[in-house]
Amino acid sequence: GGEYQDFHAFDLSEATRVLEWIDDKGVCVAGYESLKKNEILHLLLPLRLSVKENQGLFPERDFKVRHGGFSDTSVFDLKHVLDTRLLVTSGLPGCHLHVWQVTEDSDVIQAVSTIAVQEEEGSLWPRVAIFSSMAPGVLHGARLRGLKVVDLETQKTTYSSGVGDSEELSSLQVLDADTFAFCCASGRLGLVDIRQKWAPSENAGPGPGAAARRWCAEVGGRRRGPGPSIASLGSDGQLCLLDPRDLCHPVSSGRCPVSAPSPAPELLRVTWAPGLDDCLAVSGFDGTVQVYDATSWDGTGGQVEPVFTHRGHIFLEDNQTDTAPLVTTHTWHPHKPRTLLSAASDASLHVWDWVDHRAAC
Amino acid sequence: MLDCGMHMGFNDDRRFPDFSYITRNGRLTDFLDCVIISHFHLDHCGALPYFSEMVGYDGPIYMTHPTQAICPILLEDYRKIAVDKKGEANFFTSQMIKDCMKKVVAVHLHQTVQVDDELEIKAYYAGHVLGAAMFQIKVGSESVVYTGDYNMTPDRHLGAAWIDKCRPNLLITESTYATTIRDSKRCRERDFLKKVHEAVERGGKVLIPVFALGRAQELCILLETFWERMNLKAPIYFSTGLTEKANHYYKLFITWTNQKIRKTFVQRNMFEFKHIKAFDRAFADNPGPMVVFATPGMLHAGQSLQIFRKWAGNEKNMVIMPGYCVQGTVGHKILSGQRKLEMEGRQVLEVKMQVEYMSFSAHADAKGIMQLVGQAEPESVLLVHGEAKKMEFLKQKIEQEFRVSCYMPANGETVTLPTSPSIPVGISLGLLKREMAQGLLPDAKKPRLLHGTLIMKDSNFRLVSSEQALKELGLAEHQLRFTCRVHLHDPRKEQETAMRVYSHLKSVLKEHCVQHLPDGSVTVESILIQAAAHSEDPGTKVLLVSWTYQDEELGSHLTSLLKKGLPQATS
């Protein structure tokens, strides 16, 4: 349900699984096909969407390709190194991360270097997160045992998990200069302080029936007050909210109304709205993006209803193919509170803004 | 010369193209075989009368039939505004427009037109606006395709551009929108209708400045359909002057519109609207809501500017700019956010009306360009860009995807492309047979040298034997024979030296016929080698090697071989 404030649909030349912000004016997208050259594009948002309020008139409603580059390998993850012109990508084959540079005087994104990933894992690819500082470090790993931080410039390993645990990683997120969070595909969550030897505060480990489900998670910055700031999403639609001080007992949980388990659990994504309290977006089950208000749940795990569902990717589908498009990723606009971007497997890219009918917030 | 447009952003001589690129002092007619105009937009044809009648060009000007019909209307309209309203001097006159159009030769789509005995051109459908075409220009086996402005997706009244796999040496394509990813047409149309509806609902007046024959028809169809569906009563007007002519031309050139329009045209004329009426100047003062399409499109003068001045002060009203506005025009100013405009006589106009922008212009984006390159399969691509920005990424994309060279020259830059045209040459049967009879099998992988005479007559190339050529030309044959002396140290008799030469050559030149004749001389094919004693030094023998011009190569080879000396004789 819900009503649109605004909705713009675009078609990329190739589908993307990444939507990474470069400041608040542009996003990077990248192709994920194997066996062919993929494009990495730095897109400038249409002018009318890239400002805080609609001051005066901004005629431009098109994305502009500001920079483009070519990757021989598929790109499943792309991270911007804050305050630099560097990007780090990861995909298959998972034996290397690639570092790229976006320059001012050319519109070509140049390959700069590669970071070798010690353990190659066949169909697994390393998740990536960036410790941004004077000397940025790249946190990466496909499994807990291969998790390490590598200095971007010197390529020296500055931190290593040092464990033999072969659990597969699903999400990695840097929280501040010293901590990061991880979520394994099994649902195991942990917060790690890199100043100490590996000693994460974590949950008990996979629960019953966990093997059938795949999990991902995101830590959100809280705007005000205490409360759960970690959301974990299971491939059966279960959404759990946790307080970082007690990862073993979710504060609240609900079940998203999804008809079947996700056809591509690796695409599952849950995000916190940076500009709204207790507001989450979920995608990866089908061609929709669902927005939830966690305060409206009773928290006991029963079915919850989204406050808004973006169905544009299904409705605007041009070709009558058998496979309905699947939303591959979504992201919130950094400062327009109800604006999101979403991309789907049919190469569509949407920018939309929903009307909030909840009580004044 | 491809197109001849006016730069809409300048009011001085900078608005005209710089024809000195063609020739500095010569007559343009001597340097150009023809001029091709791709479509009627002023940035493609606006300088044509200036070029032909004021600078001076008397050759043919090619364009499609709709372009020929519509061009003079736009040129006259433009002239009127420049001269009558702005008082410009040194502008082309109405008569000049007429004289210029007399030089026009109209062409049909896919019709091969012979410009002269070497040059031919062919027009392809380009979409974009009524009558727009892409042109293939061909001389012999070399060709160039120039796209003008084109669009690869069909819209409500025009189809998509199309070209066959003509494989030109060069494809010249516009790339103004190459770095743009446009939002879906449905979203844009929905937004446009929403805005118009909102304004009209609150009693406001909506002004839509348009180019008379372009997107206007598209928007009319869109509004008409919407008004019908929503049962709206507010009047919609289309300003006169160009209305009737516009619809007349769309009807006349119905084959240039898209399939859907042609089909529905049988039941109902798509360009005769139920809800859209002709505008009268007085209507602008009528109370209540209305929508008016008025020309020109950038609010730079004329009726649209007049109406704008009347309605600008009321915030209930709205102006929707439907296209790109060149710097300097009122359209550009208000789109940039200016709300206080200085008009003639130092009057300041305060703009309180809502200003919106909705671009429906149909240009090819990167995807469209790649599609066209894929259709035509050129050897090289040249990008013409509206703004001088770097498009290195697109260049690389095209080069990698299609394995072609891609050029992006700046204004004034010359690009030179090497081509390798294939020139067919007929070889006479007699010559072929003679070569085959040489005895050695031809090797498909190695080039084979043969001697013949190339006769070029009336664009016909023949390779015949020298004898036949001489016969045809009625000339006597001369024999050229070369003789070379090679000195060898050998104290024995000449006959023995000759024997040594024979044995040596026999073993070394296995693929040639080496013979020892009874008179002591040695032959290699038709080359003769004779040994003689040196007149002064009995220890030295002189080998006389003689060959005809035809055996030059073997002759020189033999000579250098012999100069190396002979192996020691075995006893």
Side-chain angles (χ1 to χ4, degrees), chain A residues 3-77:
Chain A
E3 202 184 300
Y4 284 100
Q5 178 69 31
D6 216 351
F7 173 27
H8 299 269
F10 301 83
D11 283 310
L12 300 171
S13 49
E14 341 177 295
T16 181
R17 275 171 65 158
V18 306
L19 275 173
E20 172 80 349
W21 290 92
I22 308 284
D23 59 54
D24 56 359
K25 291 194 167 46
V27 286
C28 278
V29 297
Y32 56 86
E33 286 198 55
S34 48
L35 305 175
K36 76 176 263 285
K37 258 193 165 46
N38 288 285
E39 287 179 4
I40 302 175
L41 301 177
H42 170 213
L43 305 175
L44 293 181
L45 249 63
L47 279 178
R48 58 184 288 156
L49 297 171
S50 75
V51 289
K52 282 191 159 45
E53 288 108 29
N54 261 331
Q55 313 153 347
L57 183 83
F58 290 93
E60 298 290 345
R61 42 189 299 145
D62 305 321
F63 272 97
K64 288 264 179 343
V65 178
R66 176 66 185 91
H67 297 95
F70 301 98
S71 169
D72 291 322
T73 56
S74 55
V75 178
F76 293 157
D77 198 4

Side-chain angles (χ1 to χ4, degrees), chain A:
Chain A
E3 202 184 300
Y4 284 100
Q5 178 69 31
D6 216 351
F7 173 27
H8 299 269
F10 301 83
D11 283 310
L12 300 171
S13 49
E14 341 177 295
T16 181
R17 275 171 65 158
V18 306
L19 275 173
E20 172 80 349
W21 290 92
I22 308 284
D23 59 54
D24 56 359
K25 291 194 167 46
V27 286
C28 278
V29 297
Y32 56 86
E33 286 198 55
S34 48
L35 305 175
K36 76 176 263 285
K37 258 193 165 46
N38 288 285
E39 287 179 4
I40 302 175
L41 301 177
H42 170 213
L43 305 175
L44 293 181
L45 249 63
L47 279 178
R48 58 184 288 156
L49 297 171
S50 75
V51 289
K52 282 191 159 45
E53 288 108 29
N54 261 331
Q55 313 153 347
L57 183 83
F58 290 93
E60 298 290 345
R61 42 189 299 145
D62 305 321
F63 272 97
K64 288 264 179 343
V65 178
R66 176 66 185 91
H67 297 95
F70 301 98
S71 169
D72 291 322
T73 56
S74 55
V75 178
F76 293 157
D77 198 4
L78 187 154
K79 290 288 187 296
H80 173 228
V81 182
L82 204 59
D83 296 328
T84 71
R85 298 186 148 276
L86 301 172
L87 308 170
V88 179
T89 62
S90 171
L92 283 176
C95 47
H96 282 106
L97 301 179
H98 299 268
V99 183
W100 311 81
Q101 182 166 61
V102 175
T103 57
E104 193 51 56
D105 57 355
S106 162
D107 68 345
V108 178
I109 299 177
Q110 302 281 4
V112 167
S113 60
T114 57
I115 296 171
V117 173
Q118 252 61 51
E119 308 197 10
E120 187 182 342
E121 291 286 351
S123 66
L124 293 188
W125 51 277
R127 271 47 179 177
V128 179
I130 308 289
F131 277 99
S132 44
S133 65
M134 288 301 290
V138 181
L139 169 69
H140 64 273
R143 296 187 193 276
L144 281 178
R145 66 170 175 233
L147 203 48
K148 43 169 67 90
V149 179
V150 165
D151 182 288
L152 189 57
E153 202 182 304
T154 65
Q155 296 232 3
K156 287 204 167 61
T157 303
T158 56
Y159 177 85
S160 184
S161 70
V163 295
D165 208 314
S166 66
E167 276 225 51
E168 187 192 324
L169 282 167
S170 157
S171 317
L172 267 187
Q173 193 177 350
V174 163
L175 303 178
D176 57 41
D178 309 305
T179 21
F180 71 86
F182 68 82
C183 174
C184 296
S186 63
R188 180 170 157 191
L189 287 167
L191 300 170
V192 181
D193 185 326
I194 59 169
R195 291 169 295 189
Q196 308 162 358
K197 218 166 91 90
W198 179 264
S201 62
E202 53 177 313
N203 61 3
R213 292 184 291 187
R214 192 192 162 91
W215 292 81
C216 67
E218 173 157 300
V219 180
R222 289 215 44 89
R223 290 213 308 157
R224 37 177 192 252
S229 60
I230 303 179
S232 77
L233 174 69
S235 55
D236 61 347
Q238 182 158 37
L239 197 45
C240 297
L241 302 184
L242 303 106
D243 186 312
R245 293 167 298 183
D246 180 4
L247 293 174
C248 297
H249 305 100
V251 169
S252 161
S253 77
R255 172 155 269 126
C256 304
V258 287
S259 52
S262 166
E266 228 185 57
L267 294 180
L268 287 182
R269 191 162 161 80
V270 59
T271 57
W272 290 92
L276 302 168
D277 284 334
D278 305 303
C279 200
L280 300 151
V282 164
S283 72
F285 288 100
D286 49 31
T288 70
V289 181
Q290 299 157 359
V291 180
Y292 292 93
D293 173 1
T295 59
S296 69
W297 302 355
D298 67 9
T300 55
Q303 178 142 321
V304 289
E305 288 304 315
V307 294
F308 183 81
T309 306
H310 172 61
R311 294 202 165 82
H313 293 285
I314 305 174
F315 283 157
L316 288 190
E317 184 202 352
D318 274 325
N319 49 341
Q320 311 300 314
T321 49
D322 293 329
T323 46
L326 189 59
V327 172
T328 53
T329 186
H330 72 265
T331 187
W332 291 83
H333 192 287
H335 49 252
K336 284 160 112 20
R338 277 170 304 279
T339 301
L340 286 100
L341 276 68
S342 57
S345 53
D346 62 355
S348 57
L349 172 65
H350 292 177
V351 185
W352 44 281
D353 200 306
W354 50 283
V355 174
D356 196 347
H357 288 302
R358 298 180 292 173
C361 46

Side-chain angles (χ1 to χ4, degrees), chain A residues 9 37 39 57 61 63 65, chain B residues 179 181 183-184 355 397 400:
Chain A
K37 258 193 165 46
E39 287 179 4
L57 183 83
R61 42 189 299 145
F63 272 97
V65 178
Chain B
T179 53
I181 297 180
D183 68 342
S184 78
V355 179
K397 191 167 151 152
Q400 285 174 23

